Amino acid sequence: MFITFEGGEGSGKTSVIKRIEEKLIKMNYEVLVTREPGGSVVAEQIRKIILDSKNTSITDETEALLFAASRTQHLEEIVLPALKEGKIVLCDRYVDSSLAYQAYARDLGFDFVLSANSYALKHLPELTFYLDVLPEIGLKRISERDDLNRLDKERKSFHEKVRQGYLKVLEMYPERVIKIDSNGTIDQMEEDIMKVLQERL
Ligand code: TYD
């Protein structure tokens, strides 16, 4: 089963994925946790180009194509083989990130981004958790970090647009994408996610 986690900055994805992984392992599932952009040697190299704060001249289109390239490589090298082995794959971000960030927040439009991601769209996850956080809360959570990347450093209005983009994605894929309120505690998020997982697994 292929499960992805989505959300804006400071939505708590990484912490909650760790907890879900531990829970599933205790339930005797074989689990692979991975992340985008990156997760394989080539994909991590592409990630560096995308997220480097010095790369201010990257055009929006190039950014979208690099995310799609990294995704394609990661899918082929990491995700598909693990699924073939019967593992549950928990992936931190996938194609919905490109729909929210590049298609919607960067105004590239859904057609351009969907076509760049046509390979990934052939392998959509069975389940996607969208961790919905208000930008003011999410940005406050990440404000203490000292490793903010090129996208973290965008203005608040950009992060608000990312959230609107995700809400559009929810409308586009109502069966697959489940919204989890992430303005509260991580315990509550974990409980809400596990409730859904226990029904689906
Ligand atoms: P990362 O440090 O992994 O952030 P996070 O912990 O928020 O996932 O950086 C990934 C950044 O790249 C994040 O700002 C979201 C952005 N992104 C896109 O804009 N499009 C994409 O398709 C993906 C996968 C990520």
Side-chain angles (χ1 to χ4, degrees):
M1 192 173 190
F2 184 21
I3 303 170
T4 59
F5 292 79
E6 295 283 352
E9 314 307 321
S11 57
K13 279 182 293 98
T14 314
S15 322
V16 98
I17 290 172
K18 221 171 165 344
R19 295 218 191 169
I20 303 297
E21 176 190 22
E22 284 162 13
K23 277 259 161 78
L24 293 176
I25 289 172
K26 273 200 192 128
M27 292 161 77
N28 282 327
Y29 288 107
E30 272 203 79
V31 186
L32 175 89
V33 173
T34 183
R35 69 153 186 198
E36 276 207 8
S40 86
V41 175
V42 172
E44 287 289 343
Q45 286 176 14
I46 302 174
R47 174 192 171 89
K48 279 204 189 109
I49 302 174
I50 307 174
L51 297 181
D52 191 336
S53 297
K54 290 197 285 299
N55 285 339
T56 49
S57 63
I58 289 190
T59 72
D60 292 348
E61 286 79 2
T62 305
E63 179 184 283
L65 293 169
L66 287 172
F67 276 121
S70 162
R71 174 164 306 124
T72 304
Q73 185 71 26
H74 172 255
L75 184 62
E76 194 66 32
E77 240 188 297
I78 310 278
V79 177
L80 295 179
L83 291 174
K84 235 183 179 169
E85 287 167 21
K87 291 186 182 149
I88 296 181
V89 176
L90 305 180
C91 187
D92 189 340
R93 296 193 182 282
Y94 192 58
V95 70
D96 301 313
S97 285
S98 284
L99 296 176
Y101 283 78
Q102 279 68 49
Y104 195 82
R106 295 269 196 235
D107 278 326
L108 286 177
F110 287 99
D111 286 349
F112 179 81
V113 174
L114 287 169
S115 91
N117 282 279
S118 59
Y119 185 66
L121 291 169
K122 286 193 201 133
H123 300 279
L124 277 178
E126 276 86 21
L127 199 55
T128 297
F129 291 103
Y130 162 53
L131 310 189
D132 184 48
V133 69
L134 292 170
E136 56 263 37
I137 295 181
L139 291 176
K140 199 158 168 248
R141 285 185 188 149
I142 66 165
S143 63
E144 282 127 47
R145 291 187 199 160
D146 55 7
D147 61 341
L148 296 187
N149 66 47
R150 195 170 58 80
L151 281 118
D152 294 330
K153 288 179 182 160
E154 285 282 348
R155 295 163 217 280
K156 180 153 169 270
S157 59
F158 177 76
H159 297 289
E160 261 150 21
K161 240 176 137 190
V162 168
R163 177 159 185 261
Q164 293 310 316
Y166 272 124
L167 297 176
K168 284 264 172 314
V169 170
L170 262 169
E171 281 171 23
M172 286 164 74
Y173 301 100
E175 307 273 301
R176 171 174 64 84
V177 186
I178 291 174
K179 181 169 139 189
I180 301 287
D181 183 345
S182 303
N183 297 298
T185 66
I186 218 153
D187 285 347
Q188 187 59 51
M189 284 156 67
E190 180 187 347
E191 199 183 313
D192 294 345
I193 292 171
M194 281 314 294
K195 221 180 269 166
V196 177
L197 278 180
Q198 259 145 359
E199 276 168 25
R200 300 280 184 111
L201 283 170

